[in-house]
Amino acid sequence: MEVIICSNETKVGEIGAAKVAKLVAEIGSHVVLGIATGSSPLATYHCLANLVASGELDLSMASAFALDEYVGLPVDHPESYHATIARTITEPFRLNPARVHVPDGDPSRLDTAGQRYEAQISAAGGVDVQILGVGANGHIGFNEPTSSLTSRTRVKTLTPRTITDNARFFGSTTAVPRHCITQGIGTIMEARAIVLVATGELKAAAVSAIIEGALTSMWPGSVLQLHPRATCIIDEAAAGSLKLTNYYKQVYANLPDWQRLAVDTN
Ligand code: F6R
């Protein structure tokens, strides 16, 4: 796994955007993006939106697939991932809303929602570049600890830890939905390239487990060790429990020209 350690969250955003833009340039204008919600990728999204605004990045022909959605939250609820994606991605990236997809969390259609979403991803040709955050418990998407490492899009129950962590978006833990529909770990692993961003010391244990720990469903993100093209972009605080910090920095400082990003980590 490629590990890039940045001095702070702003730099994670700049490097994250530069990495995603480089991958998009390789694929071309019809790129299929995989998009995470939550706080972690916001700095990256902000920098990507700036590249779109300046004309350096054109996503008008791109498609996008969200990782997950809460079950039972109306799509027009401000914290639904339908609404969040429209606000933080579709508009600032100037994506065509018809090509932006979010899993269907309507309780009346849940029995087919997973299969329908998988079919939409397949019909688009699969995800080219997947942007991920990671939960403090190591989840990717909402694949909580002990999720099958080959799982597909389906309904999951949020852990108490995730409910507590996400209460900040809802004002209280009781307002956080208990269930979600999420791309499976097997689904996420089919993305051609994966860029995970994480910041802050609350993520340090998860970051260390997924980069340097054993492959285990107890830390779902550790599955990225099996991905041929996964990059973790983290700040110093999130890197706080890593053992090989100096090595990762040395690798980044000595990248061959064709792999270099035009942004510094400091
Ligand atoms: C949400 C998602 C989750 C978040 C994770 C971290 O679409 O995929 O895995 O990335 O819960 O959330 P933040 O970034 O808010 O700490």
Side-chain angles (χ1 to χ4, degrees):
M1 196 182 317
E2 180 183 29
V3 179
I4 305 177
I5 301 175
C6 304
S7 54
N8 56 48
E9 186 172 3
T10 306
K11 279 289 167 187
V12 169
E14 288 175 18
I15 294 270
K19 184 76 184 179
V20 170
K22 191 171 179 11
L23 291 164
V24 168
E26 277 179 26
I27 306 285
S29 60
H30 285 78
V31 65
V32 179
L33 297 172
I35 44 183
T37 43
S39 310
S40 308
L42 290 180
T44 301
Y45 293 155
H46 178 70
C47 293
L48 283 169
N50 285 344
L51 292 177
V52 171
S54 66
E56 290 163 80
L57 182 64
D58 178 9
L59 295 173
S60 57
M61 302 299 285
S63 305
F65 286 88
L67 283 169
D68 37 25
E69 176 58 289
Y70 293 109
V71 167
L73 207 57
V75 292
D76 58 359
H77 186 290
E79 293 308 328
S80 80
Y81 286 170
H82 278 80
T84 306
I85 295 279
R87 197 169 57 234
T88 59
I89 296 176
T90 312
E91 289 162 28
F93 286 14
R94 301 183 189 167
L95 293 173
N96 178 345
R99 294 206 193 94
V100 179
H101 310 274
V102 181
D104 182 0
D106 188 307
S108 69
R109 297 187 291 266
L110 274 183
D111 52 341
T112 59
Q115 275 177 320
R116 281 187 279 120
Y117 203 58
E118 292 279 339
Q120 284 182 302
I121 296 173
S122 295
V127 171
D128 294 308
V129 183
Q130 176 67 56
I131 299 164
L132 288 181
V134 61
N137 63 5
H139 72 211
I140 52 174
F142 275 140
N143 294 282
E144 300 286 33
T146 71
S147 290
S148 159
L149 298 182
T150 58
S151 49
R152 312 302 305 187
T153 305
R154 73 226 180 281
V155 173
K156 289 291 288 182
T157 303
L158 298 177
T159 59
R161 174 75 199 250
T162 301
I163 290 170
T164 307
D165 287 349
N166 286 7
R168 68 190 194 280
F169 297 116
F170 290 88
S172 72
T173 50
T174 45
V176 182
R178 269 31 188 178
H179 296 96
C180 62
I181 174 163
T182 179
Q183 285 190 36
I185 296 178
T187 319
I188 293 169
M189 286 292 282
E190 284 173 7
R192 294 176 186 97
I194 295 182
V195 177
L196 182 147
V197 286
T199 57
E201 63 182 315
L202 281 177
K203 299 294 173 69
V207 163
S208 134
I210 69 178
I211 295 173
E212 296 179 343
L215 174 65
T216 169
S217 65
M218 282 299 284
W219 293 99
S222 66
V223 75
L224 298 182
Q225 294 173 21
L226 293 177
H227 197 282
R229 229 176 159 199
T231 301
C232 285
I233 305 173
I234 55 182
D235 66 0
E236 293 278 0
S241 299
L242 290 174
K243 295 191 184 77
L244 302 184
T245 308
N246 289 339
Y247 173 63
Y248 307 131
K249 290 183 177 176
Q250 194 187 338
V251 171
Y252 191 75
N254 292 288
L255 280 179
D257 283 348
W258 61 274
Q259 282 184 333
R260 277 187 186 283
L261 302 173
V263 187
D264 208 295
T265 53
N266 295 301

